[in-house]
Amino acid sequence: MVGRVGVTNSAYNYSVVSVGTIESAYAADDRPASIRDTTVHELGHQFGLNNVDNIHIPHANSINPLDKCVMDYDCDEVDNISEFCADSPNHIWDIRQAGEPR
Ligand SMILES: [Zn+2]
Ligand SMILES: [Zn+2]
């Protein structure tokens, strides 16, 4: 655990990814995934999603069923694709609802 590398304030529509912190805290091979995961994770917060950590049981994503949701700090995707969980109803659904309430 390297501490906080991203922050979002959805009321003010900003997200920050601390690339410098990632560069100093992660091995070179792990930096692209960390930057990618953090960016997508913070985007999720813009749509009102919360961190899930261990609340989410590892659940199926749309592309690789072994991956965890990117809102999980421990998402560690195996296919290099940062994804929200796609089980219904879940984060993909929540994002859709935020953008297009019904
Ligand atoms: Zn978060
Ligand atoms: Zn999720």
Side-chain angles (χ1 to χ4, degrees):
M1 192 64 197
V2 297
R4 200 170 191 118
V5 294
V7 65
T8 288
N9 187 323
S10 59
Y12 292 93
N13 294 328
Y14 73 78
S15 294
V16 174
V17 177
S18 301
V19 175
T21 302
I22 291 169
E23 285 177 347
S24 61
Y26 285 89
D29 285 354
D30 296 330
R31 291 174 194 155
S34 179
I35 293 168
R36 185 176 60 239
D37 289 345
T38 305
T39 302
V40 175
H41 177 103
E42 296 307 321
L43 187 65
H45 285 314
Q46 287 291 353
F47 288 93
L49 305 186
N50 295 316
N51 300 326
V52 289
D53 284 333
N54 301 315
I55 300 165
H56 261 17
I57 333 159
H59 47 258
N61 274 309
S62 55
I63 295 177
N64 190 322
L66 298 176
D67 278 351
K68 290 185 187 175
C69 178
V70 76
M71 295 311 290
D72 191 319
Y73 282 137
D74 188 30
C75 64
D76 259 348
E77 79 275 9
V78 297
D79 56 5
N80 292 326
I81 300 170
S82 303
E83 294 177 278
F84 297 106
C85 53
D87 291 353
S88 179
N90 231 304
H91 281 140
I92 292 289
W93 177 254
D94 294 340
I95 290 171
R96 180 174 176 162
Q97 284 293 102
E100 191 182 326
R102 293 182 187 182

